[in-house]
Structure formats: C-alpha cells, structure tokens
C-alpha cells in the first residue's frame, strides 16, 4: 500500500468513526502498544514538520506540491496520538510527564489547538510566506504542550 493509501484509509476510518467507536483501551492490547502508537504518530509529524521547516529556512527549495503533501500528513496524523494516552500507560516508561494524565482537559485543549493549526497548514503550503507563518504557529502549538507535559 502506498503512503497516500494508508492515509486515505486512516481518514476513512476516522470519518466513519471506526477509530473512536470503542473505548480507547480496546484499541490496544497492552499499554506498551499505546505508547508505541502515540510515539510513532509524533515521529511521523516531526519528520514532516522537519521537511516544511527545511523549506522555510531555505535549506530545501520550496516545492508547493511536496509541502502540501507533508501538510496533509501532519494534519491527518495530528488527530491520532491523543487516544493513546490511555489509563495504565502512565506506568510505562515514556516521554510523557505524570502531570499529563492528571490534566486531561488541559491536554485536550492543547491537542485541539494543534489540530486547529494543522488544519490551516494545507492551504498555507501554497506559498512560502504563508507556509512560514503557519509552520511557526504549528510549531508553537507543539511546544506549548511539550513545555508542560513532555519529559525530553
Ligand atoms: C497536547 C500535547 C502535545 C502536542 C500538541 C504535541 N506533542 Fe509531541 N509529545 C507529547 C508528549 C506527551 C510526548 C511524549 C510521548 C511518549 O513518550 O509517550 C511527545 C513526544 C513527541 C516526540 C518524541 C516521540 C518519541 O518517539 O518518543 C516528538 C518527535 C514529538 N512529540 C513531536 C511533536 C510535534 C512535531 C508536534 C507538533 C506538530 C507535537 N509533538 C505536538 C505531547 C504533545
């Protein structure tokens, strides 16, 4: 399956509610699986944010189509990590601070802030100027949560 097909499948699953119908824990056989899932989502987002940042910094030539592809990946994947902060996973060694599990409403707000910014990335990727400012706003949403709830 191509990367695009995987994402289309993920988006279809989200749209039909397949990913959110059952209680979160049922999606993961073990707490370790949930940790791996959320870390994998962050790794993907970070890779594609890095590609956009390289264009913004002039380390890579600006390419609107490639930027829009990365923006779509980031926007789709940014919806995934949150269901994987399941109860019990705070006992697994990870980069999540214990405070995260005690403040679900705040974490939800910060994740929604990110989703709000990533939703604007695809349109912004059409020009280097708008990409620059939206990568900045998106990165700030990543950092706002990391400053409070990420260990490393
Ligand atoms: C609402 C909170 C929140 C937001 C928003 C957020 N992160 Fe994170 N991020 C975390 C937490 C918590 C961890 C530690 C997760 C773990 O180890 O289980 C983490 C871990 C990571 C990791 C390390 C993954 C690994 O393999 O250990 C990367 C890379 C990362 N985030 C990138 C990003 C990027 C890029 C964005 C924005 C596009 C972002 N994060 C937005 C909370 C957040």
């Amino acid at each position: 399956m191509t990367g695009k097909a995987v994402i289309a499948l993920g988006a279809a699953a989200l749209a039909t509610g397949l990913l959110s119908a059952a209680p979160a824990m049922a999606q993961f056989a073990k707490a370790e699986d949930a940790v791996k899932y959320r870390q994998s989502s962050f790794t993907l987002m970070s890779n594609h944010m890095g590609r956009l940042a390289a264009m913004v910094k002039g380390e890579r030539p600006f390419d609107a189509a490639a930027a829009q592809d990365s923006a779509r990946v980031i926007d789709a994947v940014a919806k995934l990590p949150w269901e994987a902060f399941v109860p019990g996973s705070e006992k697994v060694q990870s980069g999540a601070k214990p405070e995260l599990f005690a403040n679900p409403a705040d974490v939800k707000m910060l994740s929604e802030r990110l989703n709000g910014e990533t939703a604007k990335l695809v349109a912004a990727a059409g020009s280097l100027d708008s990409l620059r400012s939206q990568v900045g706003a998106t990165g700030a949403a990543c950092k706002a949560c990391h400053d409070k709830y990420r260990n490393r």
Side-chain angles (χ1 to χ4, degrees):
M1 215 175 340
T2 66
K4 272 183 182 157
V6 171
I7 288 158
L9 206 68
L14 280 175
T16 54
L18 278 178
L19 294 179
S20 54
M25 194 57 202
Q27 314 292 349
F28 307 103
K30 311 191 292 287
E32 285 80 3
D33 295 347
V35 173
K36 197 171 166 189
Y37 180 97
R38 70 197 190 209
Q39 290 179 342
S40 306
S41 317
F42 288 126
T43 300
L44 283 171
M45 278 198 286
S46 175
N47 179 290
H48 285 274
M49 280 293 284
R51 296 185 202 196
L52 297 182
M55 288 186 205
V56 161
K57 289 188 221 150
E59 295 163 3
R60 252 181 109 193
F62 174 65
D63 172 340
Q68 282 161 343
D69 280 347
S70 282
R72 276 188 207 99
V73 173
I74 295 164
D75 186 40
V77 175
K79 297 178 178 75
L80 303 182
W82 324 120
E83 68 163 342
F85 288 98
V86 290
S89 68
E90 73 277 12
K91 298 191 190 78
V92 180
Q93 173 71 37
S94 85
K97 286 190 179 165
E99 290 83 348
L100 180 145
F101 297 92
N103 295 289
D106 190 42
V107 175
K108 185 166 194 290
M109 205 183 69
L110 288 162
S111 67
E112 284 169 354
R113 171 176 165 187
L114 177 67
N115 293 148
E117 297 300 351
T118 63
K120 298 181 210 157
L121 260 182
V122 179
S127 90
L128 187 54
D129 275 348
S130 54
L131 180 65
R132 180 176 292 113
S133 86
Q134 198 52 36
V135 165
T138 304
C142 307
K143 186 174 185 301
C145 187
H146 289 168
D147 285 350
K148 274 176 138 169
Y149 297 120
R150 185 183 167 191
N151 266 330
R152 52 194 161 91

